[in-house]
Amino acid sequence: MTEVIAGQSVSLLAQFYDFEGGTLTDLDATPTIGITHIGTGSVALAPTSSGVTHPGTGSYGYAWTPSSSLTPGDYLATWSGLKSGSPVTAAETVTVTAPAAADDTNTSPAGVFYATREDVMRALDSKLTARNAGQIDRALESASRDVEDLCHRKFFPVQATRYFDWPDVQYRPSWRLWLDDNELISLTTLTSGGVTIPSTDYFLEPNRSGPPFNRLEIDLDSSAAYGGGDTHQRNIAVTGLWGYRNTETAVGALAEALDASETAVDVNGAAAAALGVGSILRVDSERMLVTGRRMLDTGQNVGGSGLTAQANSVTVTVADGTAFAVDEILLIESERMLIVDIAGNNLTVIRAWDGSVLAAHAAAVDIYAARTLTVRRGALGTTAATHSTATSVVRWEPPGLVRDLVIAEVINRVTNEQAGYARTRRTSGGLSSNDQAKTARDLPMLREQTYSACGRKARLRGV
């Protein structure tokens, strides 16, 4: 018997002898291999000779990669061929198991932030440098995982298939499947023992407050049931969107067509102003994580008589003001500017933004903007795909309190780190006084508010 995890590759081997106990012998031609589920007879691999190798006399191999969504269970791999014109076969059992961890299907939380680098830098009034960016990104990773631990749940959306045992083997009602920390936003397919349960035969609960949904209940007025298959283990497969809530906002559009391998994504001004490092965005059905950004030529130039080297010279005249957005960062020569208002083709900006140097700029100088995003493709269980120019870019929105708490935790961590964790405050107790570590005063209250609003509370059930 051979074992393989769904989504990973396994090498299958068949050997043919001239008679039992004899020597290995070649067949008349390359044999075919087909794979079917032993319990249901469903076809996992239609008979094929394509990809079959011949590593030695009488030996034939095939590298099989079962789909990551293939129903776990025992499968029969059958080899068929001819020897001296007579049919011959060989067979072996292959046990397919479900992916053991989130990383197997690209659903790891690593790199998922609940606030952006830009959110924190604005709050700290910190200029962009490689050192600051690295420090803040590290703190964002830690703070995001801390908030998940505080609230006992993960908030980001993940497209995945997850597997559960029969409910009745855990001494629970046989028609109710508790999902525990695997909360559902929406469900695509529910199967048990390889048999699909129609959407009309189950309920997502709690129906009055979900999503997120924490249990699946069979409609007792239907003939559906959990069970079947080879064993109770990982028998139920639930495919859907997992997480807290899928709140999204359309923020702009692609400024270029994308193939499935590009990691530098050009967006329009509206998207550039709304996205930052740490944003989770969706284009068509593919999700991407923004990990960096850089300047892109907007195709427009400084108009009028240019800009003087004065802080009150704040109007940038352009050919088309509709191509820009408030909060977008521009780069004109070596000076950065922040757009704070737009009137027709006049951009009102804050000069010498982000620690850059105030300077004079002649008319017709190129205008750049931070519109090229470096992204991780096919994130959170989705698949990298091609996308057309002007396709809508949608941003996933974390719960407001979660975002606020992550920003606060990052600020507290960064400022403490800059002080060598040596910030203290003097307290008095009776006749003496002592120093205590200094932390943000309102953090405990914000943590409590976030847990009260977004935390997963304990529940009681019979076990």
Side-chain angles (χ1 to χ4, degrees), residues 110-186:
V112 176
F113 304 158
Y114 296 127
T116 67
R117 179 195 295 170
E118 289 77 4
D119 289 334
V120 177
M121 285 186 164
R122 288 191 190 102
L124 285 171
D125 195 22
S126 173
K127 70 177 182 178
L128 178 63
T129 67
R131 177 183 176 187
N132 285 347
Q135 182 185 39
I136 289 172
D137 289 355
R138 177 165 44 81
L140 277 166
E141 174 74 34
S142 300
S144 297
R145 305 292 79 80
D146 285 348
V147 171
E148 290 172 351
D149 289 342
L150 171 70
C151 294
H152 308 297
R153 62 171 25 127
K154 292 179 173 61
F155 296 92
F156 56 87
V158 172
Q159 187 69 39
T161 299
R162 295 179 178 172
Y163 300 88
F164 302 85
D165 296 348
W166 290 345
D168 54 327
V169 302
Q170 301 177 41
Y171 305 100
R172 299 183 291 195
S174 61
W175 44 269
R176 177 183 294 150
L177 175 67
W178 285 102
L179 302 175
D180 296 327
D181 60 335
N182 293 278
E183 296 175 306
L184 260 179
I185 298 171
S186 61

Side-chain angles (χ1 to χ4, degrees), residues 16-29:
F16 295 89
Y17 296 86
D18 52 5
F19 57 88
E20 186 175 354
T23 58
L24 290 167
T25 181
D26 284 341
L27 302 183
D28 297 348

Side-chain angles (χ1 to χ4, degrees), residues 3 8 36 39 73 89 91 120 128 148 157 180 216 220 231 264 272 284 300 309 319 338 376 385 405 418 420 433 449:
E3 294 187 1
Q8 299 185 7
T36 57
T89 60
V120 177
L128 178 63
E148 290 172 351
D180 296 327
L216 297 175
L220 298 182
T231 72
D284 294 324
Q300 297 198 49
L338 177 70
R376 185 195 304 171
L405 179 56
Q418 290 170 342
S433 62
Q449 290 173 334

Side-chain angles (χ1 to χ4, degrees), residues 123-278:
L124 285 171
D125 195 22
S126 173
K127 70 177 182 178
L128 178 63
T129 67
R131 177 183 176 187
N132 285 347
Q135 182 185 39
I136 289 172
D137 289 355
R138 177 165 44 81
L140 277 166
E141 174 74 34
S142 300
S144 297
R145 305 292 79 80
D146 285 348
V147 171
E148 290 172 351
D149 289 342
L150 171 70
C151 294
H152 308 297
R153 62 171 25 127
K154 292 179 173 61
F155 296 92
F156 56 87
V158 172
Q159 187 69 39
T161 299
R162 295 179 178 172
Y163 300 88
F164 302 85
D165 296 348
W166 290 345
D168 54 327
V169 302
Q170 301 177 41
Y171 305 100
R172 299 183 291 195
S174 61
W175 44 269
R176 177 183 294 150
L177 175 67
W178 285 102
L179 302 175
D180 296 327
D181 60 335
N182 293 278
E183 296 175 306
L184 260 179
I185 298 171
S186 61
L187 194 153
T188 305
T189 306
L190 173 64
T191 65
S192 184
V195 177
T196 299
I197 299 175
S199 60
T200 54
D201 290 351
Y202 61 80
F203 300 118
L204 291 169
E205 299 292 351
N207 68 87
R208 293 182 300 275
S209 61
F213 302 107
N214 61 22
R215 64 188 186 275
L216 297 175
E217 296 185 2
I218 295 294
D219 183 354
L220 298 182
D221 195 34
S222 73
S223 60
Y226 294 128
D230 302 317
T231 72
H232 67 275
Q233 293 177 307
R234 299 189 183 183
N235 177 270
I236 301 171
V238 183
T239 300
L241 189 65
W242 304 84
Y244 184 66
R245 282 192 176 91
N246 192 31
T247 304
E248 296 182 322
T249 303
V251 295
L254 294 180
E256 62 169 347
L258 292 179
D259 62 30
S261 62
E262 289 181 79
T263 57
V265 177
D266 295 345
V267 295
N268 65 5
L275 297 171
V277 175

Side-chain angles (χ1 to χ4, degrees), residues 356-434:
S356 59
V357 177
L358 188 69
H361 308 285
V365 171
D366 291 343
I367 300 175
Y368 290 80
R371 297 181 180 178
T372 297
L373 308 177
T374 302
V375 300
R376 185 195 304 171
R377 300 291 302 273
L380 303 179
T382 63
T383 302
T386 59
H387 306 286
S388 303
T389 303
T391 300
S392 178
V393 175
V394 179
R395 180 184 66 194
W396 176 75
E397 307 287 359
L401 280 169
V402 169
R403 175 178 174 272
D404 290 347
L405 179 56
V406 167
I407 293 172
E409 294 281 9
V410 172
I411 291 172
N412 186 56
R413 192 161 307 192
V414 168
T415 51
N416 270 308
E417 191 173 274
Q418 290 170 342
Y421 287 92
R423 295 194 306 161
T424 60
R425 59 187 175 89
R426 180 69 62 174
T427 63
S428 72
L431 299 177
S432 63
S433 62
N434 53 61

Side-chain angles (χ1 to χ4, degrees), residues 24-46:
L24 290 167
T25 181
D26 284 341
L27 302 183
D28 297 348
T30 301
T32 62
I33 180 175
I35 302 174
T36 57
H37 190 283
I38 292 176
T40 65
S42 60
V43 177
L45 176 69

